[in-house]
Amino acid sequence: MKRLSYSVLLSAVALFLGCTPPQDFTKLSQLVPMRDGTLIAVDVFIPTKCAAPCEGPFPVVWEYTPYQRSNADPYIGFLFGELMGKTDDASHSEVVQLLLSHGYAFARADMRGSGASSGWRMDFMPDIADDGKEIVDWIAAQPWCDGNVGMIGGSYLGWSQLAVASRAPEALKCIMPSVVPFEGFSNEVYPGGIYSYAFLQLWGAGMFITDRNIYIPGSYNPTIPAFDEDGDGLYVDEIPFDQDFSGTFMDDYPWPVDPANPPQYLDGVVRTAHSYFNATMEHAAHPDGAPGDYDMNEVAKDMYFINAPLPMGGLTAYDLLNNLIPLIMESGIPIYNNGGWFDGFARGTTKLYATMEGTNPSKLIMQPTYHGAISQGFADYFGLDRSDFTGYTKIFQQEMLRWFAHWLKGIENGVESEAPIKIYVMNGEGWREENEWPLARQVITSYYFEPNGTLATAGTTDGSDVYTTDYTHNSGFDVFDASFLDLLGRPSVTDTFYLNRYTALSGYTPTELAVRTDKDLKCLTYTSNPLAEDTEVTGHPIIHLWVSSTTAHGDLFFYLEDVDETGEAVLVTESPLRIGFAALFDDDEQIQPNPGVDVLPDLPWHGFEDTQYVDGILAGGNVVEIVNDLYPTSWVFRQGHRIRVSIAGSDWPTFRLNPHLYTGEGDPTNIPGDYTAPTITVYRSADRPSRIELPVIP
């Protein structure tokens, strides 16, 4: 009996239910071969109904992701497909629908070692950049592409744009990276030289699940395959049947495939290629001895220094991002940098713009968001509709259409002649255009640490202040249940994490307002008198501090806060530093070797190499000078409010505790009770003028 095609069946069920399948695009899925035989899974959406002229070929915008180009419930998706809302691909994205309606084709690709692509991956390795160039070349050669290609995406999908741009494919006319670090060591895994424990635990677990196409009902679905081996028009049925319903098919069948016991499938159809099964197994291991996907949590946790060797021979953290910058500048590819003031990569977004705007046509937008959205608490605080500042935000979509219209369609719409920067001035006037970063009119204003926990713009009274580290201090807000890590065989020292700037990098946006009033009771604080007038701070605040300690090692965590008339303290910005990295070095050394790139803006750079770390720097009561920049911000402190600087000695469990303070036996446990609590002394005098420098905008 001839089998009814899935597409015919879907249409019939849709008509019976009184709904019509989408008709605004044609979707193609296929595996694209790379130079080494790795197969990259790509979905393409070609518009058939547009607000703009809809006759191809089209300019193409694409995303390059390790986070699944699509996914589906393997059971409900098999039975009902999109009718039950249990499959998710790019066509469900509001921004993709917008692009299609404006006459762009859209593509999304799984990186090697992820999703339905074959091969293995170490995150951020050079092969990903090389693959990206080949994908751009492939897209440009297709009959539905007019030869003009752009890219969008955030976080890893922002890095992938920079990586591809570094290879300068001819058809890549512009990129629009969101929330990306400038360098991946102190800007990501070791902020201030301190291991970002909670982020790596959460992000690493998500990558472990999606790379292996594990099914956790209600939380994670496997990626949709890109090869329809049985030719029935349905891709979900190419996912092998999980015989023991453990959430993974990987433990059900031998690999390499045993012809006597091959993977089985829900539709009962015999297959021989087993493309999806083989690809998923390659993500974990490979018959030729390749290691499978490296677990970045395992790779990073023992790095400690920016020049530490990575598992792939000869590579260090410099090679994963920093050293791409000169190549991108050489390419001249236009870049629209999109960032958030509360994002863990906010510093990187501004540095990418300031460093490359002289060689690449560039724009910058900074929004009042974390890594993916604004919190409900800050939305309420600023009087904003949170839905306007989530994902690809409303203003991003507007800017995106203008950016691509100019660079991909050749429309002269003022993109190159208008002010290149848009910033959201928090607690102030909202959106404002600027011409440079940092702002030329900033007035660096010092607020000195004074007696009795005060902060003042004049004078420095000789004296000192003592503070003992309180390991119960943490900078997070919403409580996050991390007990699922135990179920994955990836146990954490705690089942409870807290959402903040750093953990938000794993995809979980805080909901609460970042109120630090109670947290400050566990810190050393300095607070100004009520302000006589509104005071705008836009730029990079910088801490200058002289400190000694009862221990030879230590960490410091700095917070800038807005205290209202009731005493409620709201976080404005922050930054940590391991004191052993107190020494300053030429910030151009972030690129190694540097062919002459001037890294901008000029900010304190602590090197973070093994030879630049001073072991036991605080021994014998040694007084250490610290200069450390906080994440950039744009915030108005209202008249009658006060400015506060808060200093802590730990931020657990967001950050791993300093291993040099461990008092137990064996390897450090990262459990506070096993660590010495340093008592630090902060000095303030004419010779040691401890202070914060704020970029005040008149």
Side-chain angles (χ1 to χ4, degrees):
M1 180 177 176
K2 185 177 181 180
R3 286 186 295 145
L4 187 65
S5 76
Y6 178 72
S7 59
V8 173
L9 177 63
L10 177 61
S11 298
V13 176
L15 289 172
F16 175 75
L17 294 177
C19 59
T20 303
Q23 300 294 322
D24 295 347
F25 60 85
T26 298
K27 179 182 177 182
L28 308 173
S29 297
Q30 68 183 89
L31 297 171
V32 179
M34 299 290 103
R35 64 209 166 278
D36 61 355
T38 299
L39 299 174
I40 299 297
V42 182
D43 286 345
V44 178
F45 302 85
I46 305 169
T48 57
K49 181 180 178 182
C50 314
C54 218
E55 297 180 2
F58 302 96
V60 179
V61 178
W62 73 293
E63 290 178 331
Y64 188 22
T65 181
Y67 299 137
Q68 302 182 300
R69 74 185 202 294
S70 60
N71 66 80
D73 184 299
Y75 304 107
I76 299 176
F78 168 71
L79 294 173
F80 297 103
E82 297 197 10
L83 297 178
M84 294 296 291
K86 295 298 181 181
T87 65
D88 184 22
D89 62 21
S91 68
H92 293 252
S93 163
E94 180 182 1
V95 76
V96 173
Q97 294 169 6
L98 185 64
L99 286 165
L100 292 172
S101 72
H102 280 76
Y104 299 89
F106 187 84
R108 183 183 284 169
D110 287 325
M111 290 178 184
R112 65 170 55 215
S114 75
S117 293
S118 67
W120 58 273
R121 184 187 75 256
M122 185 184 80
D123 288 304
F124 314 109
M125 68 184 188
D127 301 72
I128 298 172
D130 297 334
D131 292 346
K133 179 185 183 301
E134 292 189 38
I135 296 168
V136 171
D137 293 343
W138 175 82
I139 289 173
Q142 302 310 302
W144 33 264
C145 178
D146 68 1
N148 295 289
V149 179
M151 296 182 73
I152 59 169
S155 194
Y156 209 140
L157 282 69
W159 170 87
S160 67
Q161 295 177 60
L162 298 173
V164 176
S166 75
R167 300 317 193 245
E170 182 179 354
L172 185 62
K173 303 301 172 59
C174 65
I175 60 176
M176 220 174 166
S178 299
V179 291
V180 190
F182 185 89
E183 52 89 12
F185 183 79
S186 71
N187 273 196
E188 184 172 6
V189 294
Y190 279 81
I194 309 171
Y195 186 59
S196 192
Y197 178 75
F199 158 56
L200 267 299
Q201 286 286 110
L202 295 174
W203 181 75
M207 297 299 284
F208 179 89
I209 293 168
T210 57
D211 283 347
R212 288 160 178 75
N213 288 307
I214 293 172
Y215 174 52
I216 303 177
S219 297
Y220 289 92
N221 290 329
T223 310
I224 299 175
F227 176 53
D228 179 20
E229 184 176 352
D230 65 357
D232 65 353
L234 177 62
Y235 288 83
V236 178
D237 65 356
E238 303 298 332
I239 300 174
F241 176 52
D242 176 10
Q243 292 182 328
D244 59 2
F245 296 98
S246 64
T248 177
F249 52 77
M250 297 177 70
D251 59 358
D252 294 314
Y253 312 102
W255 190 69
V257 172
D258 180 358
N261 183 23
Q264 304 297 305
Y265 298 86
L266 281 171
D267 60 5
V269 176
V270 175
R271 291 159 173 81
T272 57
H274 305 292
S275 169
Y276 187 82
F277 175 73
N278 284 322
T280 303
M281 298 302 286
E282 286 180 14
H283 301 171
H286 198 282
D288 67 6
D293 291 350
Y294 285 95
D295 186 329
M296 186 52 73
N297 188 34
E298 291 298 312
V299 170
K301 69 183 179 68
D302 296 320
M303 282 176 58
Y304 292 105
F305 307 106
I306 194 172
N307 61 331
L310 294 171
M312 292 185 67
L315 295 181
T316 69
Y318 288 118
D319 300 299
L320 305 187
L321 176 53
N322 316 32
N323 291 350
L324 299 179
I325 303 302
L327 298 175
I328 300 167
M329 297 172 73
E330 185 177 334
S331 79
I333 291 173
I335 307 170
Y336 200 138
N337 299 278
N338 174 39
W341 293 127
F342 297 109
D343 177 39
F345 301 153
R347 182 188 292 113
T349 301
T350 56
K351 287 172 68 173
L352 286 166
Y353 171 80
T355 300
M356 294 195 283
E357 58 93 14
T359 55
N360 302 60
S362 296
K363 298 198 75 174
L364 170 67
I365 185 170
M366 292 299 292
Q367 307 193 54
T369 52
Y370 284 90
H371 197 56
I374 193 172
S375 68
Q376 186 62 59
F378 272 119
D380 294 342
Y381 193 78
F382 300 140
L384 300 174
D385 184 341
R386 185 176 184 273
S387 65
D388 290 340
F389 291 91
T390 299
Y392 287 125
T393 63
K394 296 297 184 184
I395 191 166
F396 175 91
Q397 293 180 28
Q398 297 166 10
E399 293 296 296
M400 174 194 71
L401 289 177
R402 299 183 66 243
W403 184 249
F404 288 144
H406 179 68
W407 293 110
L408 300 185
K409 293 185 175 182
I411 297 173
E412 294 298 332
N413 54 12
V415 160
E416 290 191 86
S417 59
E418 65 196 16
I421 298 172
K422 284 183 171 61
I423 61 172
Y424 189 91
V425 183
M426 299 180 291
N427 221 26
E429 63 191 273
W431 289 112
R432 188 173 74 207
E433 294 186 344
E434 296 291 348
N435 291 307
E436 72 286 313
W437 186 267
L439 307 190
R441 65 185 183 280
Q442 69 179 2
V443 177
I444 303 302
T445 304
S446 292
Y447 281 79
Y448 295 92
F449 300 168
E450 290 288 284
N452 303 313
T454 57
L455 199 62
T457 56
T460 300
T461 305
D462 288 1
S464 61
D465 303 296
V466 176
Y467 162 75
T468 299
T469 296
D470 186 336
Y471 283 127
T472 67
H473 169 266
N474 80 82
S475 66
F477 302 96
D478 306 66
V479 176
F480 185 87
D481 182 3
S483 59
F484 73 96
L485 295 172
D486 293 325
L487 301 177
L488 294 173
R490 303 170 62 90
S492 169
V493 297
T494 175
D495 287 340
T496 303
F497 288 136
Y498 302 87
L499 300 185
N500 53 22
R501 177 189 300 267
Y502 307 101
T503 50
L505 297 176
S506 62
Y508 304 102
T509 300
T511 60
E512 298 178 12
L513 180 65
V515 175
R516 286 193 49 86
T517 314
D518 291 339
K519 298 178 186 298
D520 287 346
L521 300 177
K522 303 174 182 180
C523 301
L524 177 64
T525 63
Y526 297 93
T527 308
S528 74
N529 289 327
L531 297 171
E533 60 184 7
D534 289 356
T535 302
E536 179 186 332
V537 172
T538 294
H540 300 264
I542 296 179
I543 288 279
H544 293 256
L545 189 73
W546 281 260
V547 63
S548 66
S549 176
T550 56
T551 59
H553 302 85
D555 301 329
L556 291 174
F557 299 80
F558 304 104
Y559 307 92
L560 176 64
E561 302 163 21
D562 183 327
V563 183
D564 69 12
E565 296 89 345
T566 70
E568 181 179 78
V570 174
L571 176 69
V572 176
T573 186
E574 63 205 303
S575 186
L577 182 69
R578 177 146 291 169
I579 300 174
F581 287 117
L584 295 176
F585 300 90
D586 184 346
D587 64 347
D588 293 343
E589 294 178 4
Q590 293 172 68
I591 298 171
Q592 291 283 354
N594 190 328
V597 173
D598 185 9
V599 175
L600 296 171
D602 291 321
L603 297 171
W605 174 246
H606 298 279
F608 300 108
E609 292 193 0
D610 52 354
T611 59
Q612 296 167 330
Y613 179 80
V614 180
D615 191 21
I617 191 171
L618 294 163
N622 186 44
V623 178
V624 177
E625 179 184 2
I626 292 171
V627 182
N628 196 45
D629 63 303
L630 308 189
Y631 289 93
T633 190
S634 183
W635 183 281
V636 173
F637 293 85
R638 293 294 190 184
Q639 180 183 8
H641 286 212
R642 292 174 291 162
I643 298 171
R644 174 175 293 170
V645 173
S646 179
I647 303 171
S650 73
D651 180 3
W652 185 88
T654 296
F655 290 91
R656 185 170 61 191
L657 299 173
N658 192 314
H660 294 289
L661 300 177
Y662 179 59
T663 59
E665 298 181 356
D667 294 334
T669 60
N670 198 30
I671 297 173
D674 298 335
Y675 290 73
T676 297
T679 295
I680 67 168
T681 299
V682 172
Y683 298 87
R684 38 182 177 75
S685 66
D687 294 332
R688 294 168 174 168
S690 293
R691 65 194 184 277
I692 186 170
E693 293 178 346
L694 298 179
V696 173
I697 308 303

